[in-house]
Amino acid sequence: MADISQPIEKLKSQIDMENLPKHIAIIMDGNGRWAKKRFLPRNFGHQEGMERVIEIVSAASTLGIKYLSLYAFSTENWKRPMEEVQGLMKILVQYIMRELDKLHENNVKVQIMGDISKLPEFARKEVMKTIEKTSQNTGMILNIGLNYGGRDEIIFGIKNLLNDIEMGKINIEDLNSKNFSDYLYTKGQPDPDLLIRPSGELRLSNFMLYQIAYTEFWLSDVLWPDFTEKHLMLSIIDYQKRNRRFGGI
Ligand code: FPP
């Protein structure tokens, strides 16, 4: 594996720009442990995690990644203490307030995966503003998972599909694994080529279950608040050495 201690330019020179992953998905994990190690409340970890979101979104877009999917808040995260949930919503709003103009200038289009009708009003308003403002942008698509769960997404897709069947827009015999993808939140997008999960956990945690069928995994012990542009580059270099067979030989 390439070495993280190398200067950033050296790492960058090892990336084959002709063979970039089109779509990168990230399960941003380890914020709580990062804070605990420093005897800080968990939300300090999320706050630092937001700084990494800013860094990684910018790095991915500059590199020329076309789609970036970030898991920010799962359908299960509501079970956390109220102050942590509130804190996360405030951090989301803070992120939008700080970054929306920059995202727009950089031609990033923000889309949401998940049911945002359940978000508190103050957060939903900002999220809607972000979607609208960036809707015509043609650069990187940034999918943010908010109140997102992979199983719920499949059910959302089935409901959309049944609706289309009822309206006569599709015949059930014409349904296949490709066109079913267009009933999901990532409609029109290729499946992730690379899934990054920091923090040492070895599970999918209900993230993009349908889309991730042939995705390459890149796992690391580093906690999300310590995940830098260099880690992103390492993951891409490593990905480019993989031999993707999609079930063939
Ligand atoms: C998982 O770490 C992380 C989350 C549930 C939240 C992710 C949120 C951010 C990175 C902040 C802002 C996001 C955006 C899009 C602005 P954990 O709390 O489960 O960590 P632990 O496993 O160490 O406890």
Side-chain angles (χ1 to χ4, degrees):
M1 205 203 281
D3 175 4
I4 189 97
S5 65
Q6 294 172 80
I8 198 150
E9 283 313 317
K10 183 126 192 273
L11 278 174
K12 198 169 175 190
S13 70
Q14 292 166 62
I15 297 177
D16 173 1
M17 291 298 172
E18 303 302 311
N19 183 29
L20 284 175
K22 280 198 187 69
H23 188 165
I24 299 182
I26 308 182
I27 301 176
M28 306 184 291
D29 195 14
N31 296 350
R33 276 163 284 169
W34 184 92
K36 195 171 176 203
K37 266 170 61 181
R38 289 161 179 78
F39 306 101
L40 292 167
R42 292 178 57 84
N43 278 339
F44 279 69
H46 297 315
Q47 189 75 43
E48 194 60 25
M50 180 193 80
E51 300 297 333
R52 297 295 87 70
V53 170
I54 295 173
E55 178 176 342
I56 297 307
V57 167
S58 162
S61 153
T62 306
L63 270 174
I65 302 302
K66 295 277 181 270
Y67 306 88
L68 179 66
S69 296
L70 301 180
Y71 204 1
F73 193 89
S74 76
T75 44
E76 286 72 36
N77 285 154
W78 297 107
K79 289 187 236 155
R80 294 188 177 202
M82 198 178 70
E83 62 210 68
E84 183 169 345
V85 171
Q86 279 278 342
L88 275 165
M89 295 298 152
K90 285 187 186 152
I91 289 169
L92 172 69
V93 169
Q94 198 187 331
Y95 170 71
I96 294 172
M97 289 184 157
R98 239 174 88 178
E99 291 300 299
L100 180 53
D101 286 344
K102 196 160 88 194
L103 288 167
H104 189 48
E105 268 164 39
N106 291 338
N107 202 17
V108 173
K109 177 173 176 171
V110 179
Q111 298 196 161
I112 301 300
M113 306 188 288
D115 177 8
I116 54 167
S117 70
K118 303 284 183 304
L119 259 52
E121 178 63 16
F122 74 95
R124 196 161 52 88
K125 228 173 66 195
E126 294 302 318
V127 169
M128 291 303 295
K129 192 167 92 189
T130 308
I131 299 171
E132 273 158 35
K133 181 159 175 152
T134 63
S135 66
Q136 301 305 313
N137 290 348
T138 54
M140 185 176 83
I141 293 190
L142 171 61
N143 300 306
I144 306 180
L146 285 175
N147 188 25
Y148 173 84
R151 288 180 172 174
D152 277 6
E153 182 185 28
I154 293 170
I155 292 167
F156 163 85
I158 293 171
K159 285 181 180 167
N160 285 340
L161 168 69
L162 290 175
N163 210 28
D164 271 9
I165 292 174
E166 211 172 285
M167 311 254 292
K169 289 190 186 162
I170 183 169
N171 291 318
I172 205 151
E173 305 77 46
D174 296 333
L175 183 69
N176 55 48
S177 60
K178 201 108 208 105
N179 60 24
F180 181 70
S181 299
D182 282 340
Y183 289 96
L184 303 175
Y185 292 119
T186 46
K187 177 179 168 65
Q189 302 182 23
D191 290 338
D193 302 293
L194 174 61
L195 172 80
I196 297 173
R197 180 160 195 163
S199 96
E201 305 294 351
L202 306 175
R203 53 177 175 264
L204 260 184
S205 301
N206 203 13
F207 192 46
M208 303 185 82
L209 297 180
Y210 191 84
Q211 296 92 330
I212 244 145
Y214 281 102
T215 301
E216 296 291 328
F217 287 13
W218 195 80
L219 307 164
S220 161
D221 286 338
V222 71
L223 304 174
W224 175 252
D226 293 325
F227 189 97
T228 63
E229 186 176 356
K230 280 189 172 185
H231 292 98
L232 179 72
M233 288 182 177
L234 275 187
S235 72
I236 295 173
I237 295 166
D238 204 26
Y239 160 85
Q240 291 181 330
K241 293 185 186 134
R242 310 265 178 100
N243 176 12
R244 301 185 76 192
R245 293 189 295 276
F246 299 95
I249 52 172

